[in-house]
Amino acid sequence: MNKSRQAVIVAGLRTPFAKRRTALKHFSPLDLGKLVCGELLERVDIDPKTVEQVVFGQVIPSLQAPNVAREIVLGLGMPAEIPAYTVSKACITSYQTTVNVLEAIQEGAIMCGIAGGTESASDVPIAVSKPLQEALHEAAGAKTLVQRLLAFKNLSPRDLLPRPPAIAEPTTGETMGEAGERMAKENGISRQAQDEFARRSHQRAARAWREGRFSDEVMAVPIPPQFTATLEEDNLLRPESDLADYAKLKPVFDRKYGSVTAGNSSPLTDGASALLLMNEAKAEALGMPILGRIRSYAFAALDPFDQLLLGPAYATPIALERAGMTLADMDVIDMHEAFAATTLSTIQAFESATFAREKLNRSQPIGKVDWDKLNINGGSIAMGHPFAATGAREIAQTLGELKRRGGGIGLCTACAAGGMGAAMVLEVSP
């Protein structure tokens, strides 16, 4: 491909990820997005005018900054002429923002863009009931105090209760946790297997931090309101826990017969991540190091009444086929760990000839997963899962690992609400 149309990733960065209502609780999603994008630009040391587009994602809606991408541009003092827009695609949001910038470069529309996602589970907008909404509107238009008061006369105490955002699928009425629990039962994923997988994630992430593997990928964040302390690492890790600790936790979504617990699930998390993409000619002209390339990608969807979080098993064979490769060709594999049960279900589907035949209309299974290649630096159970930021975290983390190995090919996958999934094949040259 012509270098002016060949997109490359030149840098990736994220904030540390923090458990909801802890170190990053005072930051809005916009604050976190500005932090990571500002630091990214400072580290690569380029003129902000070089950036021609910003595509950022957010899943939990913001009433104050619904187009968080545009507010990042303006809030950082970047040129106001840079267009920016916001994407929401559940847990695969920053896969989509990355692809949008990638395609814009491949089409020749831009030469450089920023993609990423930001999320604050601590900063969740609280709505009011429909009757209270109507009363407030009526009161706002009233001309006298008596008329304002009369607007509320028919409200019940129940109407005054706050309404948090819905967490259930609108189509099925099922939460992602309930879907994960159902998948564990349908696929025969045991409690012990889930707990062992969760412990593995924590141990591997802790080792990666200890060995400095994330030092170039994660920025430090001063903690408000005093700013005397700094968050330098993810604060969700439990490296010293043993299986007995996991076994003590009670199931959350099926308290009597369930196996999905807080310990074998990804926690609600605050954080942001960003990637800087350029065409190869631009990167070379600016003397930018090339972190890696996106060799192929695929998005897929399935009936949410089926196995809601099995999307990666549908997207992966398409991405591999587009890359002209097989699962065995991958040097590393990064699977988003929404729940241990869903990741283990996805691995099971990858290796199943029956699944391939009945669900994918393929004669051969996707392939056997080599556990020595899988989530070698941990995953979302240990690091956390700020919904819109996870995809860019996976991409940067995979490219960083391949670079440390002297090059290679990696696969990133993620499931998402709505029965969606993403897969991406990444390449780092020797």
Side-chain angles (χ1 to χ4, degrees), residues 146-184:
V146 172
Q147 289 176 332
R148 290 191 187 97
L149 295 174
L150 287 175
F152 301 95
K153 67 177 181 178
N154 294 322
L155 293 179
S156 68
R158 181 182 178 84
D159 294 331
L160 302 178
L161 294 175
R163 301 291 196 271
I167 58 173
E169 294 282 314
T171 305
T172 65
E174 183 180 52
T175 67
M176 283 187 284
E178 290 166 344
E181 184 66 75
R182 180 167 57 82
M183 289 172 67

Side-chain angles (χ1 to χ4, degrees), residues 92-124:
I92 55 175
T93 290
S94 52
Y95 278 94
Q96 188 64 63
T97 61
T98 303
V99 166
N100 286 14
V101 173
L102 170 81
E103 291 180 339
I105 291 172
Q106 290 176 337
E107 289 297 317
I110 64 171
M111 291 186 287
C112 176
I114 292 176
T118 183
E119 209 74 67
S120 175
S122 301
D123 184 22
V124 177

